[in-house]
Amino acid sequence: MPALGPRGEGWVAIQLALVAAIVTAGFVGGPWPGALRYPALAAGVVVAAGGAALAVGGAWTLGRDLTPFPRPREGAALVTEGIYGRARHPIYGGLVLLSLGWALATTSVWAIGFSAGLWLVLGLKSRREEIWLEAREERYAAYRRSVPRRLFPWLDD
């Protein structure tokens, strides 16, 4: 898995470009056909709220060790409790759900496609992050075995 920079800056740039594409696509997408409009809006709000809860919970648990880069901060502790006891990268999972919720709520098929791309990129970014974590933290391999879910607490991915 390529590093794309000393701290993984390239991964963050790709992620930000996809998020910008998702937001933009949501503003330019046309409406869902009549009967789908309100169910899609309701589903989008629910999915986005779940994503926000997952991302905020992960960020809150990491606290000062939070960074957008896949290379962990120097001296950061390995967090294995809270939401990290259920998924190894819940913030990434939350971002995917937020983007999908936005796509559903704003009726953008393009945003759904970009959300799928974000899921792929964040899955790859998490693999790069885990390479650095295993090199730095001897307990990481055992943690990874004990928490098999990567992005979502309820989905093996």
Side-chain angles (χ1 to χ4, degrees):
M1 193 60 47
L4 301 181
R7 296 180 299 167
E9 296 89 345
W11 289 107
V12 176
I14 295 167
Q15 175 184 334
L16 291 175
L18 280 168
V19 168
I22 292 162
V23 170
T24 302
F27 284 117
V28 299
W32 292 113
L36 290 178
R37 181 174 297 160
Y38 294 110
L41 175 62
V45 168
V46 168
V47 169
L54 194 56
V56 168
W60 182 268
T61 303
L62 282 181
R64 300 186 85 171
D65 291 333
L66 177 65
T67 177
F69 303 107
R71 182 181 291 275
R73 289 187 191 276
E74 197 62 40
L78 177 63
V79 176
T80 60
E81 63 255 351
I83 193 65
Y84 288 91
R86 310 258 324 166
R88 298 188 311 269
H89 303 277
I91 297 172
Y92 296 166
L95 292 174
V96 169
L97 292 177
L98 272 166
S99 69
L100 183 58
W102 169 257
L104 289 170
T106 61
T107 66
S108 175
V109 174
W110 281 100
I112 291 172
F114 289 132
S115 295
L118 182 64
W119 188 349
L120 174 67
V121 165
L122 291 176
L124 294 172
K125 180 182 175 188
S126 72
R127 285 171 171 75
R128 175 69 254 181
E129 187 171 334
E130 290 185 344
I131 291 168
W132 277 322
L133 282 164
E134 282 189 17
R136 195 188 86 185
E137 176 61 59
E138 63 186 41
R139 299 177 304 146
Y140 195 80
Y143 166 67
R144 191 163 131 174
R145 284 190 301 276
S146 70
V147 180
R149 292 178 173 98
R150 185 180 298 272
L151 304 182
F152 308 102
W154 58 87
L155 178 68
D156 290 329
D157 49 338

